[in-house]
Amino acid sequence: MTGSRGGTTVRSAVVLGGGGFLGRHIGSVFRQAGARTLSVSRSAAASATVRAAALDLSTAPPERLAELLAAERADVVVNAVGRVWGASDAEMEDANARLVRRLAVCLTAMERPPRLIQLGSIHEYGPGTPGTALAEDGEARPDTAYGRTKLLGTHTVLDTVRDHPHVEGVVLRVANALGPGAPRGSLFGSIAHRLAEGARPQIPARPIVAPGPGTGGDEGLPESATVVLTLPALRVCRDFVDVRDVADAVLAAATATAPEVSGRIVNIGSGRPVLVRQLVERLVALSGLPVRIDPAGESGGAGGGAALWQQLDISLAHKLLDWSPRRAPDESLCALLAAA
């Protein structure tokens, strides 16, 4: 398996956090490309198509990680581990920073270490400036524990590659991911599951009609037939990307030649800011259910921080990885609803 530019061959891939939202899709892309793929998570779920290994990555020492990677003869290891929703600051520190340090120690001790692809986050940048896209060479000013701990992981990868020339590593700084399997703890995952719970025979089916500004499309509906969502104002603009497009970007980073990507940060997003409230209303409309959105207050965000504007400059991803997002928001939202 090689990249579209005839880059590095990947015969074996290990996905840490392979049972999670991002990890499942990343593992699937590698398997579809013909790579022998191992999914690693605390409670691994193997199947006829998924090879899996159970390992508590929050405590696994570098030596155990090295044994696993050597046994798999891994060409690439993807760190898709991350904690944000419902996690304490200490838990985020363990998953987002300390694990990366242990992984770095593991790789530096190996004679032929696999390429590391670290999944970073748009929240490492912190608040953006309205009308301006965030580029990789811009200052990172995270304003949340999640953003700060993910940034520590990024620094670990870049420092390791700089100080150890035999280690290859790249950080993909990922926007807010949408699509099938979004966790219940996320904003859109929680709404999709709430809509799925409301999609029962006793609730009348409704045509798919996009709601007007500031409404949930429920005018004139009886109270008993309406799904009620209590949400904050969601007056923030964020960059959203389909989780399957993220997986495609990981594959591109795995197969690109080392001089192109090693030691780099590469933004992975849609490159377009979207008002979160409008995306929520579109999800509701696509569900076909009668829904009333009740305000929970005059302020609120989309999870992961209070930044009012975040938009990624994704030109470097196109240049280095020959990658661009392929899926439109409606495709992501429909897949999210279908999975829920």
Side-chain angles (χ1 to χ4, degrees):
M1 178 186 69
T2 60
S4 60
R5 295 181 176 179
T8 302
T9 298
V10 177
R11 298 181 180 87
S12 176
V14 173
V15 182
L16 305 182
F21 175 42
L22 293 170
R24 290 195 302 274
H25 291 279
I26 292 167
S28 177
V29 162
F30 276 110
R31 287 190 296 272
Q32 290 170 14
R36 175 181 168 88
T37 305
L38 182 69
S39 171
V40 182
S41 59
R42 182 177 298 162
S43 53
S47 69
T49 57
V50 178
R51 295 176 59 248
L55 182 65
D56 188 348
L57 294 166
S58 65
T59 60
E63 297 79 12
R64 179 67 185 95
L65 293 172
E67 290 172 3
L68 184 148
L69 296 176
E72 286 296 309
R73 297 181 180 177
D75 298 306
V76 60
V77 55
V78 181
N79 182 22
V81 177
R83 292 292 303 275
V84 53
W85 299 291
S88 67
D89 288 5
E91 289 170 333
M92 284 188 274
E93 173 79 18
D94 283 340
N96 303 337
R98 291 196 180 98
L99 169 59
V100 185
R101 289 197 288 270
R102 283 185 281 113
L103 185 55
V105 171
C106 154
L107 296 177
T108 57
M110 298 178 70
E111 183 177 352
R112 294 175 63 87
R115 176 178 296 177
L116 169 60
I117 300 177
Q118 165 75 9
L119 298 191
S121 170
I122 188 174
H123 296 291
E124 296 174 43
Y125 286 117
T129 301
T132 302
L134 297 160
E136 291 86 349
D137 58 359
E139 182 183 3
R141 297 177 292 108
D143 59 350
T144 64
Y146 175 68
R148 288 189 291 271
T149 54
K150 291 296 288 185
L151 183 59
L152 289 173
T154 290
H155 287 325
T156 294
V157 173
L158 300 183
D159 291 347
T160 300
V161 172
R162 182 195 64 215
D163 297 339
H164 302 272
H166 73 299
V167 177
E168 296 177 10
V170 58
V171 177
L172 301 185
R173 196 166 267 171
V174 180
N176 303 279
L178 279 177
R184 284 178 178 263
S186 67
L187 173 68
F188 285 91
S190 66
I191 294 174
H193 282 91
R194 178 68 184 89
L195 293 172
E197 291 164 359
R200 296 175 180 173
Q202 66 267 28
I203 295 184
R206 301 287 295 182
I208 299 178
V209 178
T215 75
D218 62 303
E219 290 83 350
L221 296 172
E223 185 74 20
S224 60
T226 303
V227 177
V228 179
L229 298 176
T230 302
L231 300 171
L234 303 175
R235 294 171 180 160
V236 296
C237 284
R238 293 282 171 86
D239 192 316
F240 290 91
V241 63
D242 192 288
V243 64
R244 294 162 295 183
D245 284 330
V246 175
D248 290 342
V250 172
L251 179 62
T255 56
T257 60
E260 288 182 314
V261 298
S262 191
R264 305 293 295 266
I265 297 171
V266 183
N267 287 339
I268 303 297
S270 68
R272 299 184 302 271
V274 179
L275 186 63
V276 174
R277 171 75 184 209
Q278 290 180 346
L279 205 58
V280 169
E281 290 176 344
R282 186 60 184 155
L283 179 64
V284 167
L286 290 169
S287 76
L289 292 173
V291 175
R292 187 180 76 248
I293 299 178
D294 283 351
E298 288 304 309
S299 63
L308 298 180
W309 178 284
Q310 286 183 319
Q311 174 189 4
L312 290 180
D313 178 344
I314 59 172
S315 57
L316 189 62
H318 182 70
K319 176 182 177 182
L320 298 184
L321 307 180
D322 195 23
W323 175 92
S324 296
R326 297 188 294 113
R327 296 166 178 89
D330 271 15
E331 187 175 352
S332 303
L333 296 175
C334 286
L336 170 60
L337 286 168

